[in-house]
Amino acid sequence: MKNLLVLAITMCTLTLSVRAADADAAAKPPAAGEDDLVRSFHVNVPEEQLTDLRKRIFATRWPEKETVTDASQGVQLATMQELARYWATDYDWRRCEAKLNAYPHFVTNIDGLDIHFIQVRSKNPNALPLIVTHGWPGSVIEQLKIIDPLTNPTAYGGRAEDSFDIVIPSLPGYGFSGKPTTTGWDPARIARAWVVLMKRLGYRRFVAQGGDWGNAVTEQMALLAPPELLGIHTNMPATVPADVAKALQFGDPPPSSLSADERHAYDQLDFFYKHGLAYAQEMGNRPQTLYGIADSPVGLAGWILDHDASSYALIARVFDGKSEGLTRDDVLDNITLYWLTNTAISSARLYWENKLNFFAPKHVTIPVAVSAFPDELYQAPRSWTERAYPKLVYYNKLDKGGHFAAWEQPELFSSELRAAFQSLR
């Protein structure tokens, strides 16, 4: 469908009342003749839900303090109590709501499920369309800081010819998208939906970006190789060679031939597999069991904060009063979105649906660009990256930034995307 046809569609306003019943209704297929309908969307959370949230935070039953002085037993009590205090007394969701509503939101039904997305068009008619996919425990909130630098680069030190049109969807079961009521919404199916979305919006050529689950979806888009997809960028590439994966799996010594960069990546992965994988294993095996994080805001916050050691350390410093790439409000915007949309369980099911080996190369043959951030789960070495992506068009090893790179380092991340896709325009 061409852009003019999309613009001609009659838009209806959809006001969000974030309740489980509404989310279930969002999963219903469209009426006959409405398959391509794109509806405008507005975020407006009822005040009683915010009141209920604060009451639940105040009513938290706290455990005793950890018996160690570090984070080896998990998210520390002092961090969680300060987060809860700020959340219940100082945090303002309406500020986040206004920030979200400053951008155009839409919903469209694809493959029987409502898909929410933000779409911002650049004023540059030659802008390159880009679809950016978040992961867990993220949301479209992760990418809000990169919208303006990418759509209006001249205001941020870039060139007009580096402009992007940007599309940021919410994964199925996440945020404002519908919650699947049947099985099968794995990264490959989401990838197919994203191709439909971009074509429905009238884009005849586009690029894609993702980290975490966003990488899994983006790589699956690349494997589909639709003619419209020019290339992809990832900040969490799947590059781990088979011999390294085998050593990690069975606890064998690392291969003796590893370079310094490769050994550093091996050590990062070894730490993650031994100390950081429990949340993924639980959600991959028994996501429905996590009733506690759907019922307790503080339980949900603790679960989200414990994604990876580097991100948690950064967030703990934030709630200890330190200045970081993220603020207290940044962190709570994302957690509050999960709470208000009741997506703790529905988002976790993506781990259960997935059958892919997350870090194994997927044999992507279209052009790929990689930004390797130091505090990611592992900083992919150039050598592994070149082997995983035979059409590697860009690689950069950065000296700051972590798992939530677009959120933590938006300037740096935006510069990376401009450089990454320059050769594909």
Side-chain angles (χ1 to χ4, degrees):
M1 182 184 297
K2 296 183 180 179
N3 291 347
L4 290 177
L5 290 176
V6 174
L7 291 173
I9 292 176
T10 300
M11 297 295 187
C12 63
T13 300
L14 178 64
T15 299
L16 175 68
S17 177
V18 192
R19 303 181 190 273
D22 296 333
D24 291 340
K28 294 179 181 178
E34 293 183 351
D35 287 2
D36 293 343
L37 184 67
V38 178
R39 295 165 277 156
S40 63
F41 183 92
H42 184 78
V43 183
N44 182 19
V45 175
E47 186 62 33
E48 58 264 28
Q49 294 190 37
L50 302 178
T51 301
D52 176 71
L53 169 60
R54 287 188 287 269
K55 286 181 179 178
R56 288 172 180 262
I57 297 169
F58 281 125
T60 300
R61 185 172 71 169
W62 295 100
E64 66 282 355
K65 185 180 184 294
E66 61 276 2
T67 57
V68 294
T69 58
D70 57 22
S72 59
Q73 291 184 352
V75 179
Q76 293 155 293
L77 183 64
T79 298
M80 287 307 303
Q81 289 187 327
E82 177 56 21
L83 180 150
R85 183 204 64 77
Y86 184 84
W87 200 3
T89 60
D90 297 339
Y91 174 74
D92 181 10
W93 166 258
R94 297 302 182 196
R95 177 202 47 79
C96 178
E97 198 171 78
K99 184 168 60 175
L100 283 165
N101 286 327
Y103 297 105
H105 294 247
F106 304 94
V107 171
T108 192
N109 195 284
I110 301 175
D111 197 7
L113 192 72
D114 269 2
I115 300 298
H116 160 264
F117 61 97
I118 297 170
Q119 182 189 22
V120 181
R121 295 184 184 273
S122 172
K123 293 180 180 179
N124 181 355
N126 297 316
L128 179 63
L130 164 69
I131 182 169
V132 182
T133 309
H134 67 83
W136 188 94
S139 65
V140 297
I141 287 172
E142 278 184 75
Q143 283 84 32
L144 293 182
K145 296 177 185 177
I146 65 171
I147 293 175
D148 293 340
L150 292 178
T151 57
N152 185 21
T154 55
Y156 294 84
R159 305 174 304 168
E161 54 265 36
D162 292 328
S163 301
F164 292 88
D165 280 359
I166 191 165
V167 176
I168 308 171
S170 295
L171 288 166
Y174 288 68
F176 305 122
S177 280
K179 299 176 183 178
T181 57
T182 58
T183 61
W185 278 96
D186 62 1
R189 186 172 179 180
I190 298 169
R192 294 193 294 271
W194 277 198
V195 174
V196 171
L197 174 61
M198 293 302 280
K199 293 169 72 173
R200 184 171 295 179
L201 295 176
Y203 295 124
R204 295 182 174 181
R205 56 195 297 274
F206 59 88
V207 292
Q209 195 286 326
D212 194 87
W213 283 118
N215 172 71
V217 171
T218 300
E219 286 194 333
Q220 290 301 306
M221 291 176 70
L223 292 177
L224 291 172
E228 297 86 0
L229 182 60
L230 305 179
I232 67 171
H233 172 273
T234 175
N235 54 291
M236 189 177 162
T239 66
V240 179
D243 59 338
V244 172
K246 181 175 180 293
L248 289 165
Q249 180 182 358
F250 295 105
D252 296 337
S256 58
S257 60
L258 296 183
S259 68
D261 281 353
E262 291 168 344
R263 180 54 194 261
H264 177 61
Y266 179 94
D267 290 342
Q268 288 178 303
L269 284 164
D270 189 44
F271 178 87
F272 176 68
Y273 281 132
K274 288 176 178 175
H275 304 289
L277 196 58
Y279 76 91
Q281 291 170 331
E282 176 64 19
M283 293 195 293
N285 285 293
R286 311 285 285 180
Q288 193 66 27
T289 299
L290 296 169
Y291 293 97
I293 64 174
D295 184 62
S296 165
V298 169
L300 174 65
W303 190 258
I304 285 177
L305 259 58
D306 208 17
H307 175 269
D308 68 278
S310 294
S311 295
Y312 166 66
L314 183 153
I315 291 169
R317 293 193 298 271
V318 168
F319 282 96
D320 194 33
K322 308 293 192 305
S323 178
E324 295 282 354
L326 298 179
T327 67
R328 293 181 177 202
D329 286 342
D330 285 334
V331 175
L332 286 171
D333 286 348
N334 185 59
I335 297 171
T336 305
L337 178 62
Y338 272 82
W339 176 261
L340 294 173
T341 54
N342 192 20
T343 49
I345 303 298
S346 58
S347 64
R349 291 195 190 107
L350 182 53
Y351 286 81
W352 187 91
E353 292 284 358
N354 178 60
K355 303 300 183 289
L356 301 170
N357 183 325
F358 213 109
F359 298 125
K362 307 300 187 294
H363 310 293
V364 174
T365 58
I366 71 169
V368 177
V370 170
S371 299
F373 289 88
D375 292 326
E376 184 51 272
L377 301 185
Y378 77 102
Q379 189 172 32
R382 178 185 284 273
S383 55
W384 294 359
T385 304
E386 289 173 339
R387 289 162 61 185
Y389 306 112
K391 289 189 178 177
L392 187 69
V393 295
Y394 178 85
Y395 173 90
N396 190 26
K397 180 182 176 183
L398 296 112
D399 59 7
K400 64 178 177 179
H403 185 73
F404 303 99
W407 205 18
E408 300 168 27
Q409 303 292 337
E411 256 184 72
L412 191 57
F413 192 86
S414 299
S415 296
E416 282 295 290
L417 290 191
R418 294 184 201 124
F421 289 124
Q422 189 172 9
S423 67
L424 300 182
R425 288 183 177 271

